[in-house]
Amino acid sequence: MIVTIAGAGNMARGIGTRMLAGGHTLRLYDRTRAKAEELAAALSQGTSGADAAAVDEGAVGDADVVVLALPHPAGRDVASGWAGALAGKVVIDISNPVDFSTFDSLVVAPGTSAAEEIAAAVPDARVVKAFNTTFAGPLAAGEVAGRPLDVFVAGDDEGAKETVSALVASGGLRPLDVGPLRRARELEGFQFLHMAAQDRLGLNWSSGIAILP
């Protein structure tokens, strides 16, 4: 599949690594094209036979799956701007709408989520929540303590969830379908707690979620 990632930060690096490990074609978009080019080059060097390249935003129409590896509300705003091109496509939201100025609350209204806001902004897209409970470092490695990372998947379109689950599995991770898109509310709240606990646990944002069998 052709996977286009919007964003060129640490999460884009981690997800891009998994997509290339799964044998997929990777396209990277960032408003600063040089960042996308730099990340594409780094990922290509790290995976034998990798097909990774930077693209302009107009190229999103060629993607099978679009990953919004952007903080909230940037992901929602970018998706809204691409609404026409995203019609019918699987769109993955990875964001956690945390108030980073206080680190004491979420910034979405009660009874909704960042993923649901994106779905409302691009009603013709097939929005799935995934990857928001994984940190970038373990995601790039694909495992923690020798166990594959679990990736919670939520969405209202069963076909879209199956596509995302297949992508996750192809990259050596374990997908877990947790239900409809409204479950993103709990996933975002859970990850807020997980992020807030990092300093207290002495993990410095390096932890990953792995549910033991």
Side-chain angles (χ1 to χ4, degrees), residues 54-137:
V55 295
D56 295 322
E57 61 179 314
V60 69
D62 295 332
D64 297 301
V65 176
V66 175
V67 181
L68 299 172
L70 298 164
H72 181 79
R76 180 195 63 201
D77 296 342
V78 167
S80 180
W82 291 354
L86 294 178
K89 294 189 181 299
V90 176
V91 176
I92 301 175
D93 167 47
I94 76 164
S95 69
N96 289 296
V98 175
D99 185 342
F100 288 102
S101 66
T102 64
F103 228 105
D104 196 43
S105 65
L106 298 176
V107 297
V108 293
T112 189
S113 64
E116 289 170 285
E117 288 189 3
I118 290 172
V122 285
D124 294 326
R126 302 154 69 198
V127 176
V128 174
K129 189 78 179 186
F131 294 109
N132 78 297
T133 60
T134 58
F135 289 123

Side-chain angles (χ1 to χ4, degrees), residues 100-183:
F100 288 102
S101 66
T102 64
F103 228 105
D104 196 43
S105 65
L106 298 176
V107 297
V108 293
T112 189
S113 64
E116 289 170 285
E117 288 189 3
I118 290 172
V122 285
D124 294 326
R126 302 154 69 198
V127 176
V128 174
K129 189 78 179 186
F131 294 109
N132 78 297
T133 60
T134 58
F135 289 123
L139 185 57
E143 62 179 37
V144 168
R147 293 182 177 273
L149 291 183
D150 294 318
V151 177
F152 300 114
V153 178
D156 294 332
D157 186 296
E158 293 299 322
K161 286 196 292 184
E162 290 174 3
T163 295
V164 173
S165 294
L167 279 176
V168 168
S170 71
L173 311 177
R174 187 167 74 159
L176 297 172
D177 184 343
V178 298
L181 192 62
R182 65 177 180 272
R183 291 285 81 81

